[in-house]
């Protein structure tokens, strides 16, 4: 028969035995380079966002248990991180990322406005 053709499985090209090292390396370098960062720089930035999201999640959990606590903490942190992320995209040398950042920001603003409106309806109906 003919030569075995590489198959795609979960993002890895393989020839029936092992993944291509070049393809695996792309998992760690392609996205960081698209935002003009090294792997290490991107790792540290993403880790910082992860830490802050965990703290915001804790504030949201506290708010769920006792609604008078941390009333805007989680949403304030998410908005701050969104602003930071959008400014990071704006400095990247990628027009497409800038377009996405504008669209994403509008979507996020609309979602926060809808959540605030829903919260007002719930709080006024509870009175």
């Amino acid at each position: 028969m003919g030569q075995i053709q590489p198959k795609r499985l979960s993002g890895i090209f393989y020839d029936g035995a092992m993944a291509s090292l070049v393809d695996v390396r792309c998992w760690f370098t392609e996205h960081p380079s698209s935002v003009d960062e090294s792997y290490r720089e991107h790792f540290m930035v993403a880790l910082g966002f992860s830490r802050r999201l965990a703290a915001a999640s804790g504030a949201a959990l506290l708010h769920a248990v006792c609604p008078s606590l941390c009333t805007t903490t989680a949403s304030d942190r998410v908005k701050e991180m969104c602003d930071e992320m959008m400014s990071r995209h704006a400095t990247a040398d990628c027009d497409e990322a800038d377009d996405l950042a504008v669209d994403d920001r509008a979507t996020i603003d609309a979602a926060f406005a809808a959540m605030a409106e829903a919260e007002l309806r719930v709080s006024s109906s509870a009175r």
Side-chain angles (χ1 to χ4, degrees):
M1 285 197 158
Q3 186 179 13
I4 297 175
Q5 294 297 314
K7 299 176 185 175
R8 188 166 181 88
L9 176 68
S10 301
I12 304 174
F13 284 99
Y14 73 102
D15 62 6
M18 62 194 290
S20 163
L21 184 58
V22 173
D23 294 323
V24 173
R25 190 177 313 161
C26 285
W27 293 352
F28 299 96
T29 59
E30 188 174 343
H31 173 65
S33 67
S34 75
V35 292
D36 200 29
E37 294 175 339
S38 69
Y39 171 80
R40 186 179 192 295
E41 289 169 328
H42 192 74
F43 177 87
M44 296 307 289
V45 169
L47 191 61
F49 276 104
S50 175
R51 181 185 53 78
R52 291 187 289 169
L53 282 169
S57 176
L61 178 61
L62 246 117
H63 179 70
V65 173
C66 184
S68 63
L69 296 176
C70 304
T71 56
T72 63
T73 306
S75 59
D76 290 346
R77 296 305 167 263
V78 170
K79 287 176 188 175
E80 289 167 7
M81 289 186 295
C82 180
D83 289 341
E84 182 181 335
M85 200 174 295
M86 294 302 115
S87 70
R88 293 177 64 77
H89 279 286
T91 60
D93 186 24
C94 179
D95 293 333
E96 187 177 326
D98 290 342
D99 293 342
L100 289 174
V102 171
D103 292 344
D104 290 347
R105 184 62 208 199
T107 302
I108 290 166
D109 286 344
F112 275 114
M115 287 188 307
E117 185 179 313
E119 190 173 320
L120 284 174
R121 280 195 304 249
V122 169
S123 65
S124 63
S125 67
R127 292 180 186 162

